[in-house]
Amino acid sequence: LQPVRTNLAMSYLLDNQPEKAAELLKEDALAEDASAVTRHNLALAYGMLGRHTEAKELVAGEMSEEEREASLKRLAQYIAGYD
């Protein structure tokens, strides 16, 4: 079920609905068996919402701050191209 929610959350992110994505992923991302994709998607949602401290904590040790910021920028550019 976690992969399905993770994919749905990415759909919300691509549709510029980070609140829905964050709500969907927040419990899954904290689980011991959470996938990196789930945590990264939640970090993207938090970044879109301006919750950068929480986003950094989610991906600490998995990606650098520069990589996190670049991912957020790519997502914003993607969204802007389809508005």
Side-chain angles (χ1 to χ4, degrees):
L1 209 55
Q2 187 183 84
V4 173
R5 286 189 297 268
T6 297
N7 288 340
L8 178 57
M10 179 51 78
S11 295
Y12 286 144
L13 291 173
L14 295 173
D15 196 36
N16 201 19
Q17 297 182 61
E19 299 88 2
K20 285 185 176 184
E23 185 63 32
L24 191 61
L25 293 176
K26 65 183 178 182
E27 287 184 37
D28 287 347
L30 298 176
E32 285 186 33
D33 64 342
S35 73
V37 174
T38 298
R39 286 190 303 277
H40 294 185
N41 286 358
L42 182 55
L44 282 171
Y46 284 164
M48 291 173 73
L49 294 167
R51 296 166 60 178
H52 298 287
T53 300
E54 291 164 284
K56 290 177 194 180
E57 290 172 359
L58 275 170
V59 296
E62 294 179 18
M63 69 171 49
S64 69
E65 179 58 13
E66 292 79 23
E67 291 169 322
R68 187 190 73 81
E69 289 176 2
S71 294
L72 191 57
K73 183 177 179 180
R74 280 192 304 273
L75 179 59
Q77 289 172 336
Y78 178 87
I79 293 167
Y82 288 93
D83 280 345

